[in-house]
Amino acid sequence: MPIPAQVSSFRRALTRPLTERVRKVALQFAMRGKESPIPDITTLRKIPEHLTFPLRRDGLDPVPLLAESRAQAPVTTLGSVLGLDIVLITGHAESKQVLADKETYSNDMRHLLGTRKRSDAEGIGGLGMTDPPDHTKLRGLLTPEFTMRRLGRLNEMIDRIVADALDDMEANGPEVDLVQRFGFEIPFRVICELLGMPEDVRDEFHELGMARFDLSEGGAGSFGAATETRTFLIEQVRQQRADPGDGMIGEIIRNKGSEYDDVELGGLADGVFLGGYETSASMLSMGAYVLMQNPEAYEILRSGDKAGVDKVVEELLRYLCPVQLAFPRFAREDHDLFGTPVKKGAVVLVSLTGANRDPAVVPRPEQFDLRNADTMHFAFGHGMHRCVGAELARMELRAALTGLARRFPDLAMTTDDPGDLGWRDLSVVYSLDRLPVRLSKDPVPA
């Protein structure tokens, strides 16, 4: 199939090799005033425009350039940042292979932090940005906390939190913002209770959570928000050393606290907190938006048929996929990746949204369609770094969305303009900022 001239010329511009002199000048400019020429991603103030299209959407849908890129080649060298080649994966099969390959790629990005001395909270850690044996050690701590047996004990707590949120919506109706009172409220309270954290920091953490994934200011804003979040969580661990709470942090401290320092446990809690509330909040908010436009799926949730509910949840995960890019991988060596040469040190980015909408494996990739639900999706990643809390997220989605459908079967938006919803441009975790809804049908005039 011929490639449109505009896309073809755009791709030539993206893949045109930079001379070493240009690379050196660009690196020196980006790092001016720093102690070392070693790349420091936390100083990057802006992502080059031609690299941003994997993070852009038009409403719920990735911009057309992502599909056009995949149609031409599922593996593409986009250009470079701070002297590092950027390789984008958009195909389903190709993404699956890269995400599962722990030999060719590393997730450790500490080499991109320059040489400036950093505080404990400024470091890189957690499950997503570490390799074995550190990753194995940390995941071994969390895995027992997320077995189906352990998670089964959370059902009552999740149901209570969902009921509280629905009661609050009804009390503040008939019109409410579903993002604040439903999408954010439920996963935030669940993760706070799971970790054993106080809820009096909710507003601050809501803002920090969004900032963590917002790349409109490059790496600087994201890493700054991450530092503030980790500072709080490291302090929480320190406090619970003396008086362990009832949640996961206290449980780990009681059982294995002597084996891990405060920074390690704070980083672990950071990963659980961040992965457990901002992504689930996005799914609940955007999921409700989709369901209001698909009454048949909403009715399936109201009826509560387990097989049907599971199908709706899985298709929402595939279609919406709020986490747009997987944690970056770094090539350990020069290699060929499906016909594209990849140099040692290159940054390999997997577009989860691109893979989830690959027509090679998804029957109706650009539609929310329950006939797609049997297709393997990457909303939780894949391989060694697959989200450890995937089953907890599914539990929340099932409980919250079925509760919403049963309590408010006539739920409807109060605006006809999707542009009013505040879609988050250039955010790794995509979502909307507001969703004004009416909880029931308008009363019949007297």
Side-chain angles (χ1 to χ4, degrees), residues 277-295:
Y277 98 90
E278 189 67 30
T279 52
S280 294
S282 298
M283 273 301 304
L284 287 177
S285 299
M286 293 196 298
Y289 175 78
V290 171
L291 290 167
M292 283 185 282
Q293 300 170 63
N294 290 271

Side-chain angles (χ1 to χ4, degrees), residues 114-126:
T115 60
R116 180 175 68 82
K117 187 176 180 180
R118 297 179 181 276
S119 68
D120 290 337
E122 288 180 294
I124 292 288

Side-chain angles (χ1 to χ4, degrees), residues 338-350:
F338 295 94
T340 296
V342 177
K343 294 181 180 180
K344 180 179 179 179
V347 182
V348 180
L349 299 176
V350 174

Side-chain angles (χ1 to χ4, degrees), residues 123-339:
I124 292 288
L127 290 174
M129 297 179 183
T130 53
D131 296 329
D134 292 340
H135 178 273
T136 308
K137 178 182 175 184
L138 291 173
R139 195 170 182 104
L141 265 181
L142 280 185
T143 299
E145 303 295 330
F146 288 95
T147 62
M148 293 307 296
R149 181 177 64 84
R150 292 274 185 101
L151 290 175
R153 293 185 290 183
L154 301 178
N155 278 317
E156 184 178 343
M157 178 260 286
I158 293 172
D159 288 343
R160 168 174 51 81
I161 289 173
V162 169
D164 287 348
L166 297 175
D167 288 346
D168 175 74
M169 288 169 60
E170 191 162 19
N172 286 276
E175 295 185 3
V176 299
D177 179 2
L178 205 69
V179 170
Q180 291 299 319
R181 297 191 179 274
F182 179 78
F184 169 63
E185 180 73 11
I186 292 170
F188 186 88
R189 286 189 57 193
V190 167
I191 210 67
C192 281
E193 292 202 24
L194 180 69
L195 287 174
M197 285 174 43
E199 292 189 44
D200 57 2
V201 294
R202 56 188 305 152
D203 292 337
E204 176 187 356
F205 264 77
H206 188 201
E207 295 301 320
L208 286 175
M210 290 189 293
R212 288 285 289 273
F213 299 115
D214 182 2
L215 297 182
S216 60
E217 295 183 9
S222 176
F223 277 90
T227 297
E228 291 187 55
T229 310
R230 287 198 200 99
T231 298
F232 172 84
L233 290 168
I234 291 170
E235 182 57 32
Q236 284 294 305
V237 171
R238 287 175 178 151
Q239 291 178 16
Q240 292 202 32
R241 288 277 185 195
D243 184 20
D246 296 330
M248 185 184 296
I249 294 175
E251 185 74 12
I252 291 174
I253 287 174
R254 278 189 292 269
N255 294 332
K256 295 191 174 182
S258 61
E259 301 175 29
Y260 300 87
D261 62 31
D262 295 344
V263 176
E264 287 178 305
L265 292 184
L268 196 67
D270 180 49
V272 173
F273 188 89
L274 202 61
Y277 98 90
E278 189 67 30
T279 52
S280 294
S282 298
M283 273 301 304
L284 287 177
S285 299
M286 293 196 298
Y289 175 78
V290 171
L291 290 167
M292 283 185 282
Q293 300 170 63
N294 290 271
E296 291 182 4
Y298 199 52
E299 177 59 27
I300 290 173
L301 293 176
R302 195 178 72 81
S303 71
D305 172 69
K306 185 180 185 307
V309 169
D310 288 347
K311 209 166 237 192
V312 171
V313 168
E314 293 307 308
E315 174 60 359
L316 284 172
L317 285 164
R318 180 206 68 83
Y319 179 66
L320 296 172
C321 192
V323 182
Q324 305 200 83
L325 293 172
F327 285 109
R329 269 69 174 167
F330 303 93
R332 298 182 188 271
E333 58 192 24
D334 292 355
H335 64 283
D336 178 89
L337 184 60
F338 295 94

Side-chain angles (χ1 to χ4, degrees), residues 44-56:
L44 187 65
R45 293 290 175 182
K46 183 175 177 60
I47 299 175
E49 185 70 21
H50 65 270
L51 301 181
T52 62
F53 72 89
L55 292 174
R56 295 191 183 279

